[in-house]
Amino acid sequence: MSSFISELLKPGGGIALIPFIRMTIATLLLMVVIMFIADIARIHMVILAFLAGGLLASISWFEKAWNDVQRSRSEGGASATSSTVSSAGGKEEKTD
């Protein structure tokens, strides 16, 4: 248990929680739809469903962007912190 917690506290370690977060928000969305059908605070359920759907979409977008960055790093692409600058002579110089 402590190794899992220490893994989560490392930089970038919270990415392991994304499936759990997605499942929790999907359960919230299901409950909101059930409450909407049961005619409980309809306008509030519509707003909450909109917010939960937006949160699911933003988590999916974040996970896609994270996977793209990880894939580009594993393919040996340029790191995100360095770039190249073309000089007047046509040579490229690496800057950090």
Side-chain angles (χ1 to χ4, degrees):
M1 182 68 169
S2 65
S3 65
F4 179 70
I5 293 173
S6 65
E7 194 68 30
L8 287 177
L9 295 178
K10 285 183 183 176
I15 199 76
L17 291 176
I18 285 184
F20 175 73
I21 294 169
R22 181 178 285 140
M23 181 183 64
T24 303
I25 296 171
T27 304
L28 170 68
L29 194 55
L30 176 68
M31 294 305 297
V32 166
V33 169
I34 290 171
M35 291 177 69
F36 179 79
I37 292 170
D39 200 24
I40 300 173
R42 282 187 160 239
I43 189 66
H44 295 90
M45 294 305 119
V46 169
I47 294 169
L48 191 55
F50 175 75
L51 293 173
L55 190 56
L56 275 175
S58 67
I59 288 173
S60 296
W61 172 79
F62 172 77
E63 187 176 24
K64 181 185 176 304
W66 177 267
N67 289 335
D68 289 346
V69 167
Q70 294 299 337
R71 192 176 320 114
S72 69
R73 285 184 181 173
S74 68
E75 291 174 354
S79 70
T81 58
S82 67
S83 61
T84 57
V85 176
S86 296
S87 63
K91 294 182 180 179
E92 290 186 357
E93 299 175 5
K94 187 173 181 180
T95 60
D96 288 330

